[in-house]
Amino acid sequence: MQNSPQPNHTHGNRFALPRRKLLQAGLTGFTTLSMADVFRLQAATRADTVSPRTAVIMVWLRGGASHLETFDPKPQAPSEFRGPYSAIDTNVAGIQICELLPSLAKIADKYAILRSIAHTGGGHPAGSLQVLGGDPDSQDKVTPKLPDWMSVASFVRQDSIRSLPNYVAINPVDRYDSFTIAGPTYLGPSHAPFAIVGDPSNPAFEVPNVGLAPDRRERLGRRMQLKSGFDNLRRDLDTSGTLTAIDQFEAQALGLLTSPNAGEAFDLRKESTSVRERYGMNAWGQQLLMARRLVEAGVEIIATEFDGPLCGRVQNWDDHSVNQHVFDAYKFRTPVFDQAVSALIEDIYARGLDQRVLVVVAGEFGRTPRISYVASSGGGVASGPAGTVQPGRDHWPRANSMLFAGGGIRTGQVIGATDARGEDPIDRRVGTGDFLATIYKHLGIDYERLAIADFAGRPVPILNSGAPIPELQRTTV
């Protein structure tokens, strides 16, 4: 009994070849293809059944954006809570957002705002793990215990015949300082994303290992023919069929290098100058343009993080007064944010992707409604010189806002409400389990019954609690 295979707890509860046995096969394969090992491992854990090919683009605001300076302004709050910015009307009667987001205000009919999500993770790691993976623990962890929803979706929906990876991270959502805030954990590295780093707006930017030039494809083909002769000998000795299956995943890795379609999907130079400028000729704008290109090419899980120099001095949304002047930071970053996100949403609808693709804009928590004043630890963009007392907002998991667009949902609506100060939900409180169930529902993943074996072989449900947010369910079949 000790040597019996462990079941793979997917939709079909099928037996899968354990990753260890794939590794013990002693097959180094075509070692110049680093992606091949990834696709081989995915064979061991792929689900039998996949859902219709819906997709998600998640825009992650690392550090936690202020709901009051974005989608839940409180212009009538007392002065110790109210910031300097007004609320403005949108193109949907009764919906107002912060005046810093004029482009988004013009297209409120194309998205829904959730104003009542709350949880207990007050630190960046804990908050991120709750939102991204459903870990209920309020304490920070150095590494996650549970896989994030992107990795789960990669696990369930992997298709070995694809020429493009099914989970791509453009400026990956993975770390906060020394903490890992997302990852596949016991699903294994085969379900981590195909990661793209660097600034896509840089003229010299390239995605490595995608789309070889024709002459290099020819040389690669000759090397593969030589290699296949050795593999045929080993295949004659193989009685399990493992080598035949492995060939498929090595071919997928080769396809990523040689497929003209794969190369084009990542190539922003294929877009017109006017389209690129509509998104913004900066890192965030071009990240979202690449996300649109990839999802149009068939990639189904795309995560992209908004951080770096476009955020201000500390390069994230963590606007403690010790870090930077919160209101100067929003004045600096929101024009770029507003332009990029509104361009993506408009493009999703204009190109007929709105029924299939769900766009989510989220962070780990909101910010304290009460403004704090502390001396700056250093000067820079959106921060006074060291010692300057300036306003800030601190961590606030008790209330936050998220934006949803596309996905066949009813748009032009606000879900939930917070009190007059923005401190707590007073209508339609939503938990992180509900958020994750909504994502899984859109992707056709059985969040109620699906369990996946952990490192010890124990089946772990992908979601312990929560139900899809009714207002965000698909309105068309």
Side-chain angles (χ1 to χ4, degrees):
M1 292 293 290
Q2 274 187 320
N3 295 325
S4 61
Q6 293 294 324
N8 178 32
H9 299 275
T10 61
H11 288 293
N13 197 34
R14 61 193 280 270
F15 285 87
L17 182 67
R19 275 187 211 92
R20 182 177 299 172
K21 289 196 175 181
L22 269 180
L23 296 175
Q24 287 176 343
L27 303 175
T28 58
F30 191 43
T31 56
T32 59
L33 296 178
S34 60
M35 288 296 292
D37 289 336
V38 172
F39 294 124
R40 289 169 181 164
L41 292 177
Q42 285 168 342
T45 51
R46 190 179 58 161
D48 288 329
T49 305
V50 295
S51 65
R53 291 306 185 180
T54 49
V56 176
I57 297 173
M58 183 183 70
V59 183
W60 184 251
L61 311 181
R62 184 173 71 91
S66 167
H67 49 300
L68 292 92
E69 275 67 54
T70 53
F71 303 116
D72 193 11
K74 302 293 182 181
Q76 305 305 317
S79 59
E80 62 267 32
F81 296 83
R82 182 181 66 248
Y85 303 117
S86 300
I88 57 172
D89 293 331
T90 67
N91 69 338
V92 176
I95 297 180
Q96 291 188 321
I97 61 176
C98 182
E99 66 172 308
L100 295 172
L101 305 173
S103 295
L104 283 168
K106 294 175 183 177
I107 60 166
D109 59 315
K110 292 181 171 62
Y111 58 79
I113 299 171
L114 172 64
R115 287 180 173 166
S116 54
I117 186 163
H119 59 77
T120 60
H124 295 292
S128 301
L129 295 177
Q130 289 203 21
V131 174
L132 296 172
D135 187 338
D137 194 349
S138 61
Q139 300 301 309
D140 290 340
K141 295 183 178 69
V142 175
T143 56
K145 180 178 69 174
L146 301 175
D148 60 68
W149 71 262
M150 300 88 76
S151 301
V152 171
S154 173
F155 174 91
V156 175
R157 299 183 61 142
Q158 181 56 45
D159 184 345
S160 63
I161 64 172
R162 302 174 61 88
S163 61
L164 282 168
N166 205 28
Y167 171 21
V168 176
I170 309 167
N171 189 24
V173 179
D174 54 5
R175 300 192 65 80
Y176 199 103
D177 297 335
S178 61
F179 294 85
T180 300
I181 61 171
T185 64
Y186 49 77
L187 299 180
S190 60
H191 299 290
F194 180 82
I196 300 170
V197 297
D199 181 355
S201 68
N202 188 323
F205 174 82
E206 288 187 358
V207 179
N209 298 324
V210 175
L212 291 177
D215 61 327
R216 295 184 65 190
R217 290 201 297 267
E218 184 179 348
R219 291 198 301 270
L220 188 59
R222 290 197 297 267
R223 295 179 69 182
M224 287 299 292
Q225 288 178 352
L226 178 62
K227 172 185 175 290
S228 67
F230 293 102
D231 284 349
N232 286 336
L233 176 61
R234 290 188 295 181
R235 191 173 293 102
D236 290 340
L237 303 175
D238 174 42
T239 59
S240 67
T242 300
L243 286 177
T244 301
I246 285 174
D247 281 346
Q248 299 172 12
F249 307 112
E250 191 161 74
Q252 188 177 1
L254 182 64
L256 188 59
L257 282 172
T258 61
S259 167
N261 292 335
E264 286 191 5
F266 290 94
D267 190 356
L268 296 179
R269 293 170 296 187
K270 301 296 183 181
E271 295 288 343
S272 68
T273 300
S274 61
V275 169
R276 296 194 70 177
E277 289 177 346
R278 169 64 185 97
Y279 277 80
M281 289 302 294
N282 52 67
W284 294 356
Q286 299 307 292
Q287 285 171 213
L288 293 195
L289 178 55
M290 183 177 289
R292 190 269 287 163
R293 287 184 62 82
L294 290 173
V295 80
E296 202 165 32
V299 179
E300 296 170 357
I301 306 117
I302 301 174
T304 186
E305 188 169 88
F306 277 9
D307 61 0
L310 292 172
C311 271
R313 172 183 166 242
V314 294
Q315 304 199 21
N316 57 42
W317 298 70
D318 193 26
D319 294 313
H320 303 285
S321 47
V322 70
N323 287 341
Q324 50 204 17
H325 187 301
V326 59
F327 304 121
D328 286 354
Y330 275 85
K331 186 176 182 179
F332 174 74
R333 69 172 70 113
T334 48
V336 182
F337 171 84
D338 184 46
Q339 179 180 3
V341 175
S342 62
L344 174 65
I345 293 172
E346 287 187 308
D347 225 3
I348 290 295
Y349 282 86
R351 302 177 80 89
L353 300 170
D354 55 287
Q355 293 298 309
R356 185 171 67 87
V357 180
L358 180 67
V359 176
V360 180
V361 181
E364 62 262 44
F365 40 53
R367 311 301 298 189
T368 50
R370 183 182 293 275
I371 302 167
S372 60
Y373 292 86
V374 175
S376 167
S377 61
V381 175
S383 181
T388 303
V389 175
Q390 58 191 14
R393 296 193 190 273
D394 304 319
H395 303 180
W396 195 253
R398 285 164 47 184
N400 194 13
S401 294
M402 294 180 176
L403 181 148
F404 298 81
I409 65 173
R410 182 170 71 85
T411 54
Q413 63 166 327
V414 171
I415 304 159
T418 56
D419 58 35
R421 296 176 172 179
E423 292 181 311
D424 294 286
I426 56 173
D427 177 53
R428 290 288 290 109
R429 179 188 173 100
V430 170
T432 56
D434 304 318
F435 165 71
L436 292 170
T438 302
I439 299 292
Y440 288 141
K441 177 76 171 180
H442 173 72
L443 291 172
I445 295 173
D446 190 349
Y447 62 91
E448 292 182 300
R449 287 183 288 274
L450 179 60
I452 302 171
D454 65 9
F455 290 118
R458 296 183 295 257
V460 179
I462 65 169
L463 197 62
N464 289 312
S465 63
I469 301 165
E471 297 91 335
L472 294 177
Q473 297 312 292
R474 181 178 294 277
T475 58
T476 57
V477 178

